[in-house]
């Protein structure tokens, strides 16, 4: 089945679940406080609906435009902009007739559901599937450090002992900590065996983001080729999957980053690469071998210093699973949801930069979070993540979002005066246009990345 179709189905199913439950978060307290709900819709019914049925005072339906969903609550200034209803005297069943604290609970219901749902899904995923993590043996050779990190004392082959005095669950988590969390010190063990505590500047995350070093550390890999791109310089030279590089221009190669650097330092110039190759990994091998399993080729890197080979430090055997009892999954699920929200909020400091604005994505970016093949664990984990995102985005104090309504309600509760309805109408319109602009911008970025292949 086409991977695009699989991703699209997962995205549609995930959003449908989240939208219905989010709107139920508004619907249920509204009903509890005897507030009339006129419509409950999955997706938007611009001009017509795919399905609708009236039960009691409420029309339940499915719209044709999958950009969200809504509940239309009587006597509330919302995206419907129903001025005719608002011009009439308030009725007891209307939103505007209810005490401010009840209206606040109704407006916070959707966000609350998204937060709780994210926690519950993470909890159940951990209980049912457990948590995957990298085996410590992946880091036996230490970490390769980006050049920007070497300015602060890091070296290739370092092992991370602690961050801010606390050990990491996995050494590779250092990347996430540096970009999204407050890191002041990192204790490392250098390849020499000496330990050192290195100081990290406050703007380390910004430095990494602006330089494009989103993964400043990676496990040091053996120089084995995992795949070769078709028609690449390596492919034309005769290098194959499974080849273990032994030298470049006669200089011994021990690790992949050494091989990569040698190639990049000689881009545009032919280099002599020797390798060993196990015959069983390359059936039908037609290359001339100097000795059993030993070969030699000349290859020229392109202008970017690439020859079209990829390696992988991670195999299926390197991925371990930590199991959780039901009780353990509750605490672990809460922690997972908390840090997911924390890290998502933290990355917003990069959005409001020239580089960050180009990273904003729409439905294409969200859809890409799902795997190419159907996987229930990945589906539910991604759905939990999107639920957390929706909670944060909806609580932003932008008119037309739940957070905008909450902002006006808090003003009313503090000042004791309701905001002018005209002001709220204009704010709703402005907020709506802001949202449309953001949606167009985010999805425009998706289209641009698709067209340019970035």
């Amino acid at each position: 089945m086409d991977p695009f179709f699989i991703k699209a189905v997962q995205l549609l199913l995930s959003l449908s679940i989240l939208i219905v439950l989010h709107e139920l978060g508004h619907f249920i307290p509204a009903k509890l406080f005897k507030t009339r709900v006129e419509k409950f819709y999955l997706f938007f019914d611009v001009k017509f609906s795919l399905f609708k049925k009236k039960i009691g005072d409420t029309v339940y339906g499915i719209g044709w435009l999958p950009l969200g969903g809504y509940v239309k609550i009587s006597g509330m200034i919302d995206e419907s902009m129903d001025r005719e209803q608002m011009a009439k005297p308030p009725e007891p069943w209307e939103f505007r007739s209810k005490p401010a604290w009840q209206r606040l609970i109704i407006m916070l219901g959707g966000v609350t559901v998204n937060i709780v749902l994210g926690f519950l899904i993470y909890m159940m995923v951990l209980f049912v599937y457990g948590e995957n993590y990298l085996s410590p043996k992946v880091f036996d050779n230490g970490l390769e450090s980006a050049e920007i990190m070497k300015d602060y004392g890091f070296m290739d082959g370092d092992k991370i002992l602690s961050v801010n005095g606390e050990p990491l669950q996995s050494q590779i988590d250092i990347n996430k900590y540096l970009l999204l969390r407050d890191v002041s010190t990192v204790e490392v063990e250098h390849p020499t065996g000496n330990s050192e505590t290195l100081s990290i500047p406050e703007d380390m995350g910004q430095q990494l983001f602006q330089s494009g070093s989103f993964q400043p550390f990676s496990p040091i890999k053996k120089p084995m080729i995992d795949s070769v791109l078709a028609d690449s310089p390596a492919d034309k030279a005769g290098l194959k999957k499974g080849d273990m590089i032994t030298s470049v221009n006669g200089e011994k190669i021990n690790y992949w980053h050494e091989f990569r650097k040698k190639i990049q330092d000689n881009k545009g110039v032919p280099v002599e690469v020797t390798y060993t190759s196990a015959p069983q990994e390359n059936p039908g091998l037609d290359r001339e071998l100097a000795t059993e399993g030993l070969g030699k080729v000349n290859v020229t890197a392109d202008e970017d210093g690439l020859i079209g080979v990829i390696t992988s430090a991670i195999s299926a055997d390197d991925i371990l699973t930590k199991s959780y009892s039901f009780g353990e999954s509750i605490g672990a699920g809460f922690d997972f949801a908390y840090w997911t929200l924390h890290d998502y909020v933290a990355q917003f400091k990069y959005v409001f930069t020239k580089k960050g604005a180009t990273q904003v994505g729409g439905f294409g970016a969200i859809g890409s979070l799902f795997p190419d093949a159907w996987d229930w664990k990945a589906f539910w984990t991604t759905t939990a993540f999107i639920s957390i995102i929706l909670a944060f985005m909806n609580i932003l104090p932008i008119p037309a979002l739940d957070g905008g309504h909450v902002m006006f309600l808090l003003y009313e509760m503090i000042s004791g005066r309701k905001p002018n309805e005209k002001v709220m109408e204009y704010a709703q319109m402005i907020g709506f246009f802001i949202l449309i602009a953001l949606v167009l911008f985010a999805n425009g970025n998706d289209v641009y990345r698709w067209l340019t292949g970035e």
Side-chain angles (χ1 to χ4, degrees):
M1 190 176 291
D2 182 21
F4 175 82
F5 177 77
I6 294 174
K7 285 176 179 283
V9 170
Q10 290 180 92
L11 176 62
L12 192 63
L13 177 59
S14 177
L15 289 180
S16 297
I17 293 169
L18 295 176
I19 290 167
V20 168
L21 292 177
H22 175 92
E23 299 307 334
L24 275 174
H26 297 304
F27 179 86
I28 292 173
K31 286 293 190 180
L32 289 175
F33 296 134
K34 301 186 183 333
T35 309
R36 181 175 294 173
V37 179
E38 299 175 18
K39 286 185 172 184
F40 186 117
Y41 260 76
L42 170 64
F43 306 147
F44 292 116
D45 56 325
V46 181
K47 300 298 184 182
F48 69 92
S49 304
L50 297 178
F51 164 84
K52 65 178 179 179
K53 181 176 179 60
K54 187 170 184 179
I55 303 175
D57 296 321
T58 307
V59 175
Y60 299 87
I62 301 175
W64 64 271
L65 186 61
L67 296 179
Y70 70 97
V71 288
K72 186 179 186 305
I73 300 175
S74 296
M76 175 181 171
I77 297 175
D78 59 11
E79 58 271 13
S80 68
M81 299 303 291
D82 191 346
R83 293 188 177 91
E84 182 179 340
Q85 183 184 69
M86 299 303 296
K88 298 176 182 178
E91 299 288 352
W93 61 78
E94 290 186 338
F95 180 82
R96 54 181 166 165
S97 300
K98 303 301 178 182
W101 67 270
Q102 291 185 4
R103 285 180 278 142
L104 183 63
I105 290 174
I106 292 171
M107 293 316 305
L108 287 173
V111 169
T112 302
V113 165
N114 282 133
I115 289 290
V116 173
L117 181 64
F119 154 67
L120 289 175
I121 293 176
Y122 281 135
M123 182 190 79
M124 292 309 299
V125 166
L126 292 174
F127 174 62
V128 174
Y129 299 102
E131 181 180 11
N132 291 341
Y133 66 98
L134 292 179
S135 167
K137 71 178 183 179
V138 172
F139 308 102
D140 283 349
N141 297 314
L143 297 170
E144 178 189 353
S145 304
E147 289 302 314
I148 190 173
M149 299 310 302
K150 292 177 180 177
D151 294 338
Y152 297 99
F154 291 92
M155 305 177 184
D156 288 332
D158 279 348
K159 295 180 180 179
I160 308 298
L161 301 179
S162 68
V163 175
N164 294 340
E166 298 290 333
L168 295 177
Q169 178 172 321
S170 175
Q171 289 193 52
I172 205 63
D173 288 345
I174 183 65
N175 293 327
K176 175 172 60 180
Y177 275 64
L178 289 173
L179 279 164
L180 301 174
R181 303 185 188 177
D182 295 326
V183 176
S184 56
T185 60
V186 176
E187 185 182 7
V188 299
E189 179 184 318
H190 292 308
T192 58
N194 298 326
S195 297
E196 183 180 5
T197 298
L198 303 173
S199 297
I200 307 298
E202 290 184 7
D203 67 340
M204 189 73 255
Q206 284 287 354
Q207 290 187 46
L208 293 172
F209 183 80
Q210 294 301 330
S211 67
S213 297
F214 302 117
Q215 298 288 325
F217 294 98
S218 58
I220 286 182
K221 317 167 185 71
K222 290 292 185 181
M224 176 177 283
I225 297 174
D226 186 64
S227 60
V228 180
L229 302 180
D231 296 322
S232 65
D235 185 34
K236 293 174 181 177
L239 291 172
K240 303 286 185 181
K241 172 183 172 66
D243 287 346
M244 180 77 77
I245 308 302
T246 57
S247 72
V248 174
N249 288 340
E251 295 186 38
K252 186 179 179 182
I253 297 295
N254 295 305
Y255 301 109
W256 184 265
H257 67 279
E258 297 174 345
F259 173 56
R260 186 181 64 240
K261 188 174 187 307
K262 287 289 184 186
I263 295 296
Q264 290 175 339
D265 288 346
N266 291 279
K267 57 186 176 183
V269 179
V271 295
E272 183 183 82
V273 175
T274 60
Y275 57 88
T276 59
S277 181
Q280 65 270 21
E281 293 179 350
N282 290 287
L285 193 66
D286 58 1
R287 293 167 293 168
E288 182 177 348
L289 303 180
T291 58
E292 180 62 29
L294 180 65
K296 182 186 299 183
V297 297
N298 289 318
V299 61
T300 305
D302 61 22
E303 59 184 14
D304 295 319
L306 303 174
I307 62 171
V309 291
I310 300 171
T311 189
S312 174
I314 311 301
S315 66
D317 293 337
D318 294 326
I319 301 175
L320 306 180
T321 301
K322 180 180 179 180
S323 298
Y324 291 86
S325 67
F326 184 77
E328 291 171 335
S329 70
I330 295 175
F334 177 82
D335 284 346
F336 212 109
Y338 169 80
W339 285 111
T340 298
L341 177 60
H342 175 282
D343 292 346
Y344 184 76
V345 174
Q347 59 89 32
F348 257 71
K349 63 188 174 185
Y350 303 126
V351 171
F352 301 103
T353 63
K354 184 177 180 180
K355 182 181 179 67
T358 64
Q359 306 301 311
V360 174
F363 290 107
I366 297 173
S368 68
L369 297 174
F370 292 96
D372 292 338
W374 196 280
D375 181 307
W376 280 112
K377 180 182 180 181
F379 171 80
W380 286 117
T381 302
T382 305
T383 297
F385 176 62
I386 297 173
S387 189
I388 297 291
I389 292 175
L390 288 177
F392 173 69
M393 297 301 293
N394 262 292
I395 204 61
L396 292 175
I398 300 174
L401 290 177
D402 294 347
H405 292 287
V406 169
M407 177 178 63
F408 285 117
L409 279 167
L410 291 176
Y411 166 80
E412 178 183 340
M413 295 174 75
I414 294 170
S415 68
R417 299 192 308 273
K418 281 190 175 183
N420 183 279
E421 287 189 0
K422 281 292 181 186
V423 171
M424 293 186 66
E425 283 184 16
Y426 288 129
Q428 189 77 11
M429 291 173 61
I430 292 170
F432 181 75
F433 286 122
I434 290 173
L435 291 181
I436 291 296
L438 288 174
V439 168
L440 291 174
F441 176 74
N443 286 284
N445 275 347
D446 285 346
V447 174
Y448 175 79
R449 284 192 285 266
W450 178 68
L451 291 174
T452 60
E454 292 184 1

